[in-house]
Amino acid sequence: EVQLLESGGGVVQPGGSLRLSCAASGFTFSSYAMSWVRQAPGKGLEWVSTISGSGGSTYYADSVKGRFTISRDNSKNTLYLQMDSLRAGDTAIYFCAKNFYHSGNYPVDWFDPWGQGTLVTVSS
Amino acid sequence: QSVLTQPPSASGTPGQRVTISCSGSSSNIGSNTVNWYQQLPGTAPKLLIFRNNQRPSGVPDRFSGSKSGTSASLAISGLQSEDEADYYCAAWDDSLNGWVFGGGTKLTVL
């Protein structure tokens, strides 16, 4: 069974940093792209970032470009999201999700499954 | 303001058929496939429809998806109380080089 377990959320001051992790199991981790999607309190879903299976290609939403860095350690079956220069608007539940493809087929790709999410609160 | 446009709410009585629309543009729905996600209250999103009209294993055939031009629709027939949830459409956007979501539709079963 595919399982994704996020961790690393918490309360951080504006301008601060946080690193989220997503531990994966039940599939060959390096064979699939992985993504982060967030949901602000009471709001809809917003795609944040995607990384290819090898880690060689990364994509970011304009709202986080230059501040967030997605990475993965295929030897540890773990996905990361380094979040710097955090703002109040980054407050959200952050979900990691498995893509169907390894890379390159994003126009016909999808997210399945999703982790349970980890809450990040940016507040002074 | 979401790139894909969905009605904020929809409703129906048990047994009825409801549809949820999702409107986009040539850079997303017009050229790429559409996926739908269901989010039950307090839970993570779950894949409901992929590649416009494909159901993952375990999703009842009461759920169906379609796409025409720059719009897509999710239909739910034989509405049940457990279908009460938020529904999101999503697609890759060639101009933004990333995924875009609809704002979500809250479905209420009366």
Side-chain angles (χ1 to χ4, degrees):
Chain A
E1 180 194 3
V2 173
Q3 290 195 327
L4 301 171
L5 186 61
E6 302 94 335
S7 61
V11 180
V12 60
Q13 291 188 339
S17 298
L18 210 56
R19 188 177 84 154
L20 305 183
S21 300
C22 172
S25 61
F27 64 102
T28 304
F29 185 66
S30 60
S31 294
Y32 298 92
M34 296 291 294
S35 298
W36 288 98
V37 178
R38 69 183 181 183
Q39 185 171 37
K43 302 296 184 182
L45 302 173
E46 179 189 16
W47 170 75
V48 173
S49 184
T50 293
I51 186 169
S52 63
S54 65
S57 298
T58 57
Y59 305 83
Y60 297 94
D62 287 343
S63 59
V64 307
K65 202 171 292 182
R67 300 188 299 122
F68 290 11
T69 304
I70 191 171
S71 63
R72 63 192 297 160
D73 185 335
N74 286 345
S75 68
K76 295 182 178 179
N77 291 349
T78 303
L79 173 72
Y80 302 101
L81 185 68
Q82 177 66 41
M83 303 185 296
D84 299 321
S85 302
L86 282 162
R87 308 164 179 166
D90 296 318
T91 294
I93 297 173
Y94 285 73
F95 299 100
C96 69
K98 173 184 167 290
N99 288 57
F100 183 77
Y101 291 103
H102 175 276
S103 65
N105 289 316
Y106 304 121
V108 293
D109 203 353
W110 59 90
F111 306 134
D112 181 47
W114 301 52
Q116 89 292 342
T118 187
L119 177 61
V120 172
T121 302
V122 183
S123 173
S124 54
Chain B
Q1 190 87 0
S2 301
V3 174
L4 304 182
T5 301
Q6 297 180 235
S9 63
S11 63
T13 57
Q16 267 191 332
R17 182 179 187 270
V18 298
T19 60
I20 297 172
S21 62
C22 176
S23 177
S25 67
S26 58
S27 64
N28 42 66
I29 293 178
S31 50
N32 302 315
T33 59
V34 178
N35 307 311
W36 290 89
Y37 300 93
Q38 178 192 57
Q39 188 175 31
L40 297 169
T43 69
K46 167 193 159 187
L47 179 68
L48 193 64
I49 297 287
F50 64 98
R51 283 189 184 168
N52 304 326
N53 55 19
Q54 303 299 300
R55 280 187 312 276
S57 158
V59 172
D61 59 7
R62 303 186 295 104
F63 295 89
S64 62
S66 64
K67 184 184 109 168
S68 178
T70 58
S71 294
S73 291
L74 172 71
I76 309 171
S77 60
L79 201 59
Q80 299 181 5
S81 58
E82 55 260 41
D83 298 333
E84 197 160 274
D86 293 324
Y87 293 86
Y88 295 90
C89 59
W92 177 265
D93 191 293
D94 294 333
S95 297
L96 297 174
N97 216 29
W99 272 280
V100 290
F101 283 89
T105 298
K106 184 175 183 64
L107 175 64
T108 301
V109 180
L110 302 169

